[in-house]
Amino acid sequence: MSMLAAIPDMPREITCGPVSFEIDGAGLRELRVGGHELIRGVAFLVRDRDWGTLAPEISDIEMHRAGDRLEYALTARYRSAGATLTARLRISAGPDGLDLRAEGRAEGQFETNRAGFTVLHPIAGQAGAPLRVTHADGRVEQTTFPDLIAPWQPVKEIAALRNSVGPWDCDCTLSGDVFEMEDQRQWGDASFKTYNRPLALPWPYVLAPGVMEPQAVSLRWHRRVEPVTPRRDASRMGARLMQTALVLTPEEALRAAQRSSDLDAVRPQRLLCSLDATLDDAAGAFAAFAALQVAAPNYVFDLELICGFDADPDAELVAHSATMRAVGFAPESVMVCASVDRQSTPPGSDWPDCPPLAEIHAAARAAFPKVTLGGGMASFFPELNRKRPAEDAWDFVTHGLCPIVHDARDAAVMQTLEAVGDITRSAEAIAGARGYRVGPCSIAMRQNPYGSRTIPNPGSERVCMTDDDPRHRTDFGAAYAVGLATRLATSRAEVWTPAALYGPRGLFDAAGRPLPITAALAALAGAAGQRVISAEIEAGLARLELERVAFTANLTPGRLAGLEAHGWMKEDRGPAAC
């Protein structure tokens, strides 16, 4: 038996015969057997009271190999509000299985929303596919993974799962707590997530000083008699590429009114004017939007209106409508959202006080009789999926996207593009015959539905749920935007809002120079309305072919297909690298 030197700069790829995976922090990623990805990840994760993921301090790494078998161990230390949770994680791997075990000890009153193992099943070929569940009481259930995205947990009280990938049946056995599954496609993650501690139990909760009950995950795989062929959804070619919008706050609208030439950097079709009437002076905000409308009359203006609705929604919306007319702001569309609905209502939680959606819808129709009305959520798809607009009440339905809710690694952000098709397909089922719009949908999060704040990022690091992601300002942000446009191109989305005009999610750096994403968005905006010939993401490349122009983006950190890392190009009567 040999011992490998402990190398702290994880992840590192491990192979055990036909098995491969990457060790990453307090867990592993991309477990493959014979080249087939059976598990997207298993990790011992700890979340704070705002659902932020605590980064562990890793130490005491040991790794032993004997032939095609591996033993690996580490200590992960999590700190929060003066308390500490220390977990010893052990991984045993071989050609026929893999086991993880964690033993933990809390020092101080350790407050958390979740502390334990999380298992991620990749979504490729799994939506609507068979799933066998062994429940905690021993009952065995034959079910399926959700086809359309499930708003609530599709499976509860889990002791074991069996699913099939390619030629393999994969068994996942869990112990040490009660586990349940959620459909992580809701948040853009390309996985179904099984996690410990049901959401119906109170959170945050406190781990008292002392030893935690050990937790374990056991994975075994067996060859099937007949391999499973992944389902491929038919792509809807012939759609028209959606219009591009940029989002502005009232303060940004005043700035743009003085510098309307800044809009020329992208020349979007539309401007989304965002007003939180619970925080901003509505009259001043409408006046700012009106000033911009005078300075930039060739753009279509849309209004995102966040209301408190503490009393009668009719009176509140009528007052906003009158103020808007008085200052001369005339948007083409108005999307109304209750302020409390920007926050997520997790399973088992009480819904906050709010007038019924049908009442809000009727009040909006009466207050804004001559504009296109939008319903849905100013936050993200999970909030829309769990609180759906009344049928036939709105002219269009909308929601935002954010790829850093659960995992902020570069690879994870690009992997969220896998789930965009599932999100749009599920949102279109909610929208029915109504229109459909997506955004804002930048990498960074403008508002956190899952906690009291977005996460500060003074060090410009890869941080979940931050409102300032440094990749937006690099070639990565441009490549991600082209990839997202590629995924949205075959949906029914009429409008997307991939950036703000100013600020950390805007078009310019601190010196006023255009960012790399700006040229990409300008090219995509210029192609709006063209018929989609093909749109696919495969092997790290996004390819979008339209009637008169084609886009290619390298979504990887290495050179690929003649493009530098995260490079992109537009072909229009010949290649023109950007």
Side-chain angles (χ1 to χ4, degrees):
M1 179 178 289
S2 65
M3 178 174 177
L4 303 184
I7 303 175
D9 56 341
M10 299 299 173
R12 62 175 297 166
E13 186 171 353
I14 302 295
T15 58
C16 302
V19 179
S20 67
F21 56 89
E22 289 183 346
I23 292 177
D24 186 8
L28 59 87
R29 301 186 186 278
E30 297 186 14
L31 171 65
R32 299 179 183 273
V33 181
H36 295 271
E37 186 182 16
L38 302 190
I39 296 293
R40 176 59 53 90
V42 185
F44 188 88
L45 296 181
V46 181
R47 312 291 293 275
D48 65 18
R49 66 177 296 113
D50 291 320
W51 292 104
T53 301
L54 298 179
E57 302 168 11
I58 303 298
S59 63
D60 305 323
I61 299 174
E62 299 178 32
M63 188 184 294
H64 303 271
R65 297 205 70 148
D68 58 4
R69 305 204 69 84
L70 169 81
E71 300 291 332
Y72 178 82
L74 62 83
T75 297
R77 186 169 287 105
Y78 306 84
R79 302 183 189 276
S80 180
T84 302
L85 175 63
T86 302
R88 186 66 176 169
L89 176 69
R90 302 181 186 277
I91 300 175
S92 301
D96 56 351
L98 188 147
D99 296 286
L100 301 95
R101 179 179 174 86
E103 299 175 342
R105 182 180 185 87
E107 298 175 14
Q109 300 289 324
F110 191 89
E111 184 183 62
T112 180
N113 281 355
R114 179 178 300 151
F117 277 119
T118 292
V119 180
L120 305 180
H121 285 80
I123 64 174
Q126 296 301 298
L131 175 67
R132 190 181 78 176
V133 182
T134 302
H135 292 282
D137 60 3
R139 179 173 49 92
V140 176
E141 176 187 9
Q142 296 290 344
T143 183
T144 61
F145 285 103
D147 182 14
L148 296 179
I149 297 174
W152 312 106
Q153 305 97 313
V155 188
K156 298 181 179 181
E157 300 284 333
I158 300 170
L161 299 167
R162 171 178 284 188
N163 68 306
S164 302
V165 179
W168 302 100
D169 282 337
C170 181
D171 290 311
C172 175
T173 304
L174 306 140
S175 64
D177 205 339
V178 178
F179 290 77
E180 61 188 23
M181 178 187 291
E182 67 186 11
D183 193 337
Q184 279 213 132
R185 295 177 298 170
Q186 294 211 93
W187 294 274
D189 300 73
S191 59
F192 297 97
K193 179 171 74 176
T194 301
Y195 55 90
N196 75 306
R197 187 172 170 92
L199 285 173
L201 296 177
W203 51 267
Y205 61 100
V206 173
L207 295 174
V211 176
M212 289 178 56
E213 181 178 356
Q215 291 187 27
V217 177
S218 176
L219 299 168
R220 296 292 183 271
W221 41 86
H222 318 275
R223 281 196 173 272
R224 293 177 53 84
V225 176
E226 296 183 4
V228 174
T229 301
R231 185 192 70 180
R232 296 184 65 91
D233 292 329
S235 296
R236 289 176 294 183
M237 301 310 165
R240 300 282 175 176
L241 187 66
M242 62 275 170
Q243 295 184 341
T244 297
L246 298 174
V247 62
L248 302 97
T249 65
E251 295 78 11
E252 292 165 347
L254 281 177
R255 178 180 173 185
Q258 301 300 317
R259 300 172 50 91
S260 59
S261 60
D262 286 349
L263 295 168
D264 294 338
V266 165
R267 294 187 182 274
Q269 285 72 40
R270 313 178 80 97
L271 299 174
L272 178 60
C273 300
S274 179
L275 167 60
D276 184 346
T278 68
L279 300 175
D280 298 320
D281 167 39
F286 288 136
F289 297 146
L292 179 57
Q293 198 164 34
V294 170
N298 296 324
Y299 294 93
V300 176
F301 282 70
D302 302 301
L303 174 64
E304 177 188 72
L305 180 58
I306 312 298
C307 295
F309 294 135
D310 297 323
D312 180 9
D314 291 277
E316 185 170 351
L317 290 174
V318 166
H320 288 318
S321 178
T323 303
M324 195 170 69
R325 291 194 307 272
V327 300
F329 179 50
E332 189 276 337
S333 74
V334 176
M335 180 270 186
V336 176
C337 181
S339 179
V340 296
D341 285 341
R342 290 180 301 173
Q343 295 304 119
S344 177
T345 301
S349 301
D350 294 329
W351 287 95
D353 291 335
C354 184
L357 282 181
E359 185 177 334
I360 293 173
H361 298 167
R365 185 67 70 182
F368 304 102
K370 296 181 180 180
V371 302
T372 302
L373 282 179
M377 291 294 166
S379 48
F380 307 125
F381 177 75
E383 289 69 58
L384 170 67
N385 202 21
R386 291 172 175 174
K387 192 171 184 180
R388 305 181 179 190
E391 293 183 9
D392 303 323
W394 298 103
D395 301 312
F396 68 89
V397 172
T398 186
H399 64 84
L401 293 174
C402 177
I404 57 168
V405 174
H406 292 120
D407 193 340
R409 295 174 305 119
D410 288 358
V413 170
M414 291 302 187
Q415 283 174 346
T416 64
L417 296 174
E418 297 177 31
V420 170
D422 294 83
I423 290 175
T424 58
R425 187 166 58 93
S426 299
E428 289 164 5
I430 294 171
R434 294 168 288 189
Y436 176 44
R437 302 181 185 182
V438 180
C441 45
S442 56
I443 295 176
M445 179 182 281
R446 64 169 180 162
Q447 179 261 331
N448 185 1
Y450 316 112
S452 59
R453 58 171 186 165
T454 53
I455 306 303
N457 191 15
S460 293
E461 300 173 350
R462 273 60 170 160
V463 177
C464 289
M465 296 190 286
T466 181
D467 64 352
D468 187 353
D469 191 293
R471 289 166 291 193
H472 177 85
R473 297 181 283 277
T474 68
D475 291 340
F476 185 104
Y480 173 80
V482 175
L484 180 57
T486 301
R487 279 293 189 225
L488 293 174
T490 55
S491 73
R492 280 180 31 215
E494 304 163 334
V495 181
W496 73 319
T497 307
L501 180 57
Y502 301 122
R505 297 171 297 285
L507 305 181
F508 309 101
D509 65 14
R513 296 169 299 211
L515 298 170
I517 193 174
T518 306
L521 296 183
L524 290 163
Q530 291 189 32
R531 186 165 57 90
V532 178
I533 305 301
S534 64
E536 64 179 11
I537 296 179
E538 190 171 1
L541 286 176
R543 301 180 187 272
L544 173 59
E545 183 181 357
L546 307 174
E547 288 177 278
R548 300 185 298 278
V549 65
F551 296 86
T552 305
N554 175 7
L555 307 180
T556 75
R559 186 174 175 82
L560 186 64
L563 292 170
E564 296 298 329
H566 301 128
W568 68 279
M569 71 178 188
K570 182 183 77 170
E571 297 174 282
D572 185 5
R573 298 182 181 178
C578 302

